[in-house]
Amino acid sequence: MSLSKLRSILDRRLGFQGAILLGVFGSVLALSVVVLLFTQRYAEDLFHGTVNPEVQELVEAPLSLYPELLRARRETHLLRTSLLARDPVLLSPAFDAEAVREHLLAQCADDPYLRRIEVVRPDAPALGIGCPQGADEGPVRTLLREAELGAGGKLRVTFGMPEAVFAGHARAGELARGYAERVRNADRMRAAYQRAFAVVLGAWILLGGAIASYLSRRTTRRLRALAEATTRLSTGELDVQVQVDGQDELARLAEAFNTMVVELGERREQIVYLERVSSWQGIARRLAHEIKNPLTPIQLAMQQLVSSYSGDDPRFQKLLAEVEEIVGEEVQTLRRLVTAFSEFAKLPDVDVSPAHLGQYLQDYLRSHPDLSAEAEIELLLPETDPRVELDRALLGRVLTNLLRNAIEAAAPLSEGLPRVEVQLEVGSEAAVVRVSDEGPGIAADYPSQIFDPYFTTKSTGTGLGLAISRKIVLQHGGELTVAPRSGPGTTFEIRLPLAGRGPLSGSVLRESIVER
């Protein structure tokens, strides 16, 4: 049977979760068997060395040396005391205390075990010095030795033995006794060691199986959720989201899936919006054509009607003049609508080129003094000037529309010139231009409609400005939105991708726009 066929059978019988469980559990079991065999061999070698009689003799040998060492050290201290008692400097009739002190300090330097020397003579004050002790020597045990100096004098010498020497002797005794006990119980210890290790391996196998079961269930559950979400997405459900659990590769996959779904929803909304705008452009083209044709005959007919009246009825003549004025105003209104419809219908695609956005904003405001005359426009620029791809003419049309709207919104509430703020910020992927006013703001229900063609809250508006502006920004690979504000006023945001980064996430490329 081939490996691929065996794998196919296992996939059908076990499934993904069973395959993970079998693989992990089998790996743990195989590893445990190998380790068990190795440790049995290791235990045999280990305990064989433990019960070696030669090793036991080497461990017990220092026990007999410690008493001999201590006895030799005590005899050395006694001999050292006797030699000091016969030192001519200490027995000299002319007892010079300072000279004796220096001599005793020299003795301390020669013998590291000296701790204190006291000289008592009937003919001189008692003299005692303490020998300096090593900083890292630790605790010591002291031994006092006395000797006669002659003529009633005494010599007291204190020796010190580091406590570590005695601790080492005790430790060696414990080690020897413990080793002897291990030799006596070698077989029992070997069996206990193997049993303990077998228990540990068994627990490890069970733990490995439990971990494998948990990981397989968790992994398959998350993969199943992704598969179900993908199926729902394929049916057109673009609001589906997958719960992000953890920080591993599957979690990053779920995050990427959620981001992709959000971008798909945004792209669909934008494409639908652009298609709707394109449809309205076709309607505007037909409306402009149908409205424009009869305007001139209507105006000429009215003029002819007024000029053909030769009567002298003042009331009728006044009525004709008023009707002519009304018809003329409405014709002009219709002509403005026709012009707006024509411009909307003939809106060209953007033709971008690289430019520094901050410098472009400065150039734009300098070239539009009429806007600066109608409002106090404050331009806020960052330290770095971002480089973007833009169509200078069409983006200028967007700025003109936003600034005109801001001025008209803020003017009724301003005592003097209305204040409008234009702020440029730079992000990691996009540059953001914010146009903010201090007007009454936009009603809560309007932000979802203000970009629709022919939607307007102005009595004289056509409802095409924001629709045209958003389409232009979308064709730049960016987005035009209304930013949320806590206070009064309105802020529009133009987000444009930085040069070389392509369109923003969720934005629509110019090539995807369908003109109808």
Side-chain angles (χ1 to χ4, degrees):
M1 181 181 296
S2 64
L3 181 61
S4 60
K5 188 174 182 180
L6 177 61
R7 185 184 306 162
S8 176
I9 295 175
L10 290 177
D11 289 341
R12 288 197 305 271
R13 296 292 179 86
L14 299 177
F16 183 73
Q17 179 177 347
I20 294 179
L21 183 60
L22 179 63
V24 175
F25 189 80
S27 300
V28 172
L29 182 60
L31 178 62
S32 301
V33 171
V34 173
V35 173
L36 181 60
L37 295 176
F38 173 78
T39 51
Q40 285 182 340
R41 178 63 181 273
Y42 177 74
E44 292 291 337
D45 295 341
L46 176 64
F47 284 104
H48 177 72
T50 302
V51 298
N52 193 331
E54 295 180 0
V55 176
Q56 184 176 4
E57 292 178 4
L58 292 175
V59 172
E60 294 177 347
L63 296 178
S64 61
L65 297 178
Y66 271 102
E68 296 296 331
L69 175 63
L70 295 176
R71 212 168 18 250
R73 181 55 58 191
R74 289 191 183 96
E75 291 177 359
T76 302
H77 294 342
L78 182 60
L79 179 60
R80 181 72 172 172
T81 304
S82 300
L83 292 175
L84 281 174
R86 293 194 291 271
D87 194 315
V89 177
L90 303 182
L91 298 174
S92 174
F95 189 79
D96 185 354
E98 188 62 32
V100 172
R101 183 183 299 277
E102 294 294 333
H103 182 67
L104 293 180
L105 287 174
Q107 297 297 323
C108 290
D110 292 339
D111 191 343
Y113 293 98
L114 282 173
R115 292 295 177 266
R116 184 172 178 78
I117 305 175
E118 296 182 27
V119 178
V120 181
R121 289 179 45 156
D123 57 347
L127 177 64
I129 66 166
C131 296
Q133 189 175 355
D136 56 350
E137 190 172 18
V140 296
R141 292 188 186 182
T142 59
L143 177 65
L144 177 64
R145 295 292 186 183
E146 293 187 353
E148 298 290 336
L149 283 178
K154 280 189 175 295
L155 175 65
R156 297 188 181 92
V157 182
T158 302
F159 294 91
M161 180 73 77
E163 187 68 34
V165 177
F166 301 94
H169 179 261
R171 177 60 181 160
E174 294 176 0
L175 180 62
R177 288 190 294 273
Y179 189 83
E181 182 67 21
R182 293 187 71 183
V183 171
R184 289 191 295 270
N185 301 307
D187 293 336
R188 180 174 57 83
M189 292 176 63
R190 185 187 301 110
Y193 181 84
Q194 291 176 347
R195 285 195 300 272
F197 198 83
V199 170
V200 172
L201 279 180
W204 167 247
I205 292 173
L206 293 177
L207 178 62
I211 293 175
S213 178
Y214 168 75
L215 291 177
S216 62
R217 287 198 303 270
R218 183 170 180 265
T219 302
T220 53
R221 184 181 69 249
R222 296 160 73 189
L223 288 175
R224 190 180 301 114
L226 276 171
E228 292 174 355
T230 303
T231 302
R232 293 167 60 187
L233 179 64
S234 65
T235 61
E237 189 176 342
L238 295 182
D239 58 348
V240 61
Q241 289 287 287
V242 178
Q243 181 180 358
V244 179
D245 184 12
Q247 297 181 349
D248 55 5
E249 289 80 359
L250 284 178
R252 290 195 290 272
L253 178 61
E255 291 177 352
F257 177 85
N258 292 339
T259 302
M260 179 193 69
V261 172
V262 172
E263 292 180 359
L264 283 176
E266 293 175 353
R267 287 177 182 271
R268 184 178 70 172
E269 291 177 1
Q270 292 176 353
I271 290 175
V272 169
Y273 174 81
L274 289 174
E275 290 179 347
R276 187 166 65 248
V277 169
S278 298
S279 299
W280 279 107
Q281 283 182 288
I283 295 174
R285 187 180 300 110
R286 289 192 293 272
L287 284 175
H289 177 73
E290 296 297 332
I291 296 174
K292 181 180 180 181
N293 288 338
L295 287 181
T296 300
I298 291 173
Q299 191 173 19
L300 291 176
M302 189 64 206
Q303 291 175 355
Q304 184 178 4
L305 178 62
V306 173
S307 62
S308 64
Y309 178 70
S310 59
D312 55 357
D313 188 347
R315 288 183 302 174
F316 186 74
Q317 193 170 11
K318 180 180 179 183
L319 178 61
L320 282 177
E322 292 176 353
V323 171
E324 182 184 19
E325 182 179 359
I326 293 173
V327 171
E329 290 178 355
E330 294 303 323
V331 167
Q332 292 302 319
T333 300
L334 288 175
R335 289 189 185 279
R336 287 196 298 270
L337 285 175
V338 168
T339 301
F341 289 161
S342 299
E343 291 178 355
F344 179 50
K346 298 176 181 178
L347 185 66
D349 287 341
V350 298
D351 183 14
V352 298
S353 60
H356 288 285
L357 188 53
Q359 184 62 47
Y360 170 77
L361 293 175
Q362 291 177 320
D363 295 341
Y364 170 82
L365 291 178
R366 276 197 297 267
S367 63
H368 290 76
D370 54 321
L371 295 175
S372 301
E374 297 178 20
E376 180 185 344
I377 301 177
E378 182 179 7
L379 178 61
L380 303 177
L381 299 177
E383 294 182 359
T384 58
D385 194 352
R387 191 173 173 84
V388 298
E389 301 277 345
L390 58 85
D391 185 313
R392 303 182 73 89
L394 291 181
L395 189 61
R397 184 170 180 174
V398 174
L399 291 173
T400 300
N401 181 265
L402 295 181
L403 289 172
R404 287 287 182 195
N405 289 345
I407 294 172
E408 292 175 3
L413 302 181
S414 302
E415 296 181 358
L417 288 178
R419 182 177 178 274
V420 178
E421 181 181 280
V422 180
Q423 182 181 15
L424 172 61
E425 289 186 0
V426 185
S428 58
E429 296 183 353
V432 182
V433 179
R434 294 187 177 91
V435 179
S436 304
D437 62 59
E438 297 177 349
I442 299 175
D445 297 336
Y446 287 168
S448 60
Q449 307 175 36
I450 59 175
F451 295 110
D452 290 343
Y454 306 114
F455 176 84
T456 181
T457 58
K458 302 177 185 179
S459 59
T460 59
T462 61
L464 296 176
L466 288 178
I468 293 173
S469 298
R470 190 184 184 200
K471 180 181 180 182
I472 292 172
V473 176
L474 288 175
Q475 287 180 308
H476 278 79
E479 179 61 286
L480 175 62
T481 57
V482 181
R485 287 184 58 145
S486 57
T490 305
T491 297
F492 282 89
E493 285 187 352
I494 304 172
R495 297 176 59 85
L496 296 175
L498 298 178
R501 291 191 175 271
L504 296 178
S505 174
S507 60
V508 182
L509 291 171
R510 291 187 298 277
E511 289 78 1
S512 67
I513 299 173
V514 179
E515 294 289 353
R516 295 184 176 179

